[in-house]
Amino acid sequence: MTDAKTLAYINLYGILGALENLCELDEEASKLANVKKPLSIAFSVKNGPDATITFKNGRCRMEQGVAPGCNVLLPFSSCEKFNGLIDGTVTPIPVKGFTKIGFLLNNFTKLTDILTKYLRATEEDLKDEKFFETSTKLMFYLITVALSQIGNNDEIGRFSASYIPDGIIEMSIKDSVSATIRVKDHHLVTIKQKPESYRSKMEFGSIRLARDLFDGKVNAVACIGEGTVTMSGLINMIDNLNRILDRVALYLA
């Protein structure tokens, strides 16, 4: 079972939040984000998440909340309506920023199409090594953000989070990317960069192994036994994080 509110948090902070990383990793995406003046799009979901994405110099940055000076404001009357934006069944109507509608319909739509191609990659797409690496890195960032949103909003996820002590958990793919899961009073925050120090760490031995795990082609427990997935530090933190991780696939299916 999944719930619409948790999915809305994942869709906004995880999927649309991955546009930050897409613009860093993909040249075409960077060109689409290269606007003459900084341009910000805010998403406001009733009884759900709010965030503002700002595009500038070929990059974009997401911040929680609706920025007062945003150029475009897209309100959604429910989490279900916002989730419809992500699955393509709802067309949003801005209440602010009609003069920027061209960017929304052109550049922004093209950016989300590129992101979808990476996140919904076909076997044929993944034969290209560069595409494979970019796709896997984006999946990694999405999953680490989804972990926090499930731990904070999903009923079963919150139960597992209630057993995680305060501290920093590092998740990483060896010789590739890292992310920080910060736990404070059983609330999880994902920071998409390597921490200076950690209390616990889980590392995937290679980017190809990480991809196989994400795609469900290999068993995580078996990988731990083989030593291709390593855990260190306070293992109780990792054990409970893994219970939340088990729910990520339900939301990202």
Side-chain angles (χ1 to χ4, degrees):
M1 293 290 291
T2 61
D3 74 90
K5 182 176 181 179
T6 302
L7 182 58
Y9 275 86
I10 293 171
N11 280 336
L12 184 51
Y13 297 140
I15 292 182
L16 292 186
L19 289 171
E20 294 179 317
N21 310 103
L22 178 69
C23 291
E24 294 174 350
L25 296 168
D26 183 272
E27 185 177 348
E28 182 182 357
S30 180
K31 289 178 180 177
L32 289 168
N34 191 22
V35 292
K36 292 181 179 179
K37 295 182 179 179
L39 190 152
S40 57
I41 302 173
F43 301 82
S44 180
V45 184
K46 186 177 181 180
N47 298 320
D50 297 324
T52 303
I53 305 177
T54 301
F55 297 87
K56 180 181 178 182
N57 297 330
R59 296 289 185 267
C60 73
R61 177 69 179 169
M62 173 178 280
E63 295 180 339
Q64 292 190 18
V66 174
C70 64
N71 300 108
V72 180
L73 175 58
L74 298 173
F76 297 85
S77 59
S78 67
C79 290
E80 288 83 358
K81 288 290 186 181
F82 176 70
N83 294 334
L85 167 70
I86 302 302
D87 65 27
T89 60
V90 170
T91 301
I93 299 175
V95 296
K96 176 183 178 181
F98 286 98
T99 60
K100 305 297 182 182
I101 199 74
F103 179 87
L104 198 63
L105 295 177
N106 186 27
N107 297 49
F108 186 78
T109 299
K110 288 179 180 178
L111 282 166
T112 57
D113 287 345
I114 295 170
L115 181 62
T116 298
K117 185 175 177 64
Y118 279 117
L119 295 180
R120 299 288 185 185
T122 65
E123 289 295 330
E124 189 65 28
D125 291 332
L126 294 172
K127 289 179 181 178
D128 181 274
E129 190 63 30
K130 185 176 180 180
F131 184 98
F132 173 88
E133 288 192 11
T134 300
S135 174
T136 305
K137 288 176 181 179
L138 290 169
M139 283 296 299
F140 172 83
Y141 287 126
L142 170 56
I143 287 168
T144 57
V145 172
L147 272 169
S148 288
Q149 301 313 317
I150 292 171
N152 295 337
N153 298 288
D154 175 82
E155 183 178 0
I156 296 173
R158 289 199 308 269
F159 180 79
S160 296
S162 71
Y163 288 96
I164 303 179
D166 289 356
I168 297 294
I169 304 171
E170 180 181 350
M171 290 187 65
S172 67
I173 300 174
K174 188 175 182 180
D175 300 324
S176 184
V177 288
S178 295
T180 300
I181 311 292
R182 187 176 65 208
V183 185
K184 177 68 174 177
D185 297 328
H186 312 297
H187 180 82
L188 279 60
V189 175
T190 298
I191 303 164
K192 292 184 281 187
Q193 62 186 36
K194 184 179 178 65
E196 292 183 3
S197 60
Y198 58 83
R199 195 172 185 188
S200 298
K201 180 177 180 178
M202 179 166 67
E203 183 172 75
F204 307 119
S206 69
I207 194 166
R208 193 157 295 277
L209 171 68
R211 185 78 204 198
D212 286 344
L213 282 166
F214 299 161
D215 292 342
K217 294 180 179 179
V218 294
N219 181 275
V221 175
C223 290
I224 293 169
E226 294 168 357
T228 51
V229 174
T230 58
M231 299 186 299
S232 58
L234 189 62
I235 301 302
N236 174 49
M237 297 181 79
I238 301 295
D239 284 343
N240 286 290
L241 192 73
N242 277 331
R243 291 187 176 92
I244 301 173
L245 186 59
D246 288 341
R247 295 192 59 72
V248 170
L250 296 176
Y251 283 96
L252 298 184

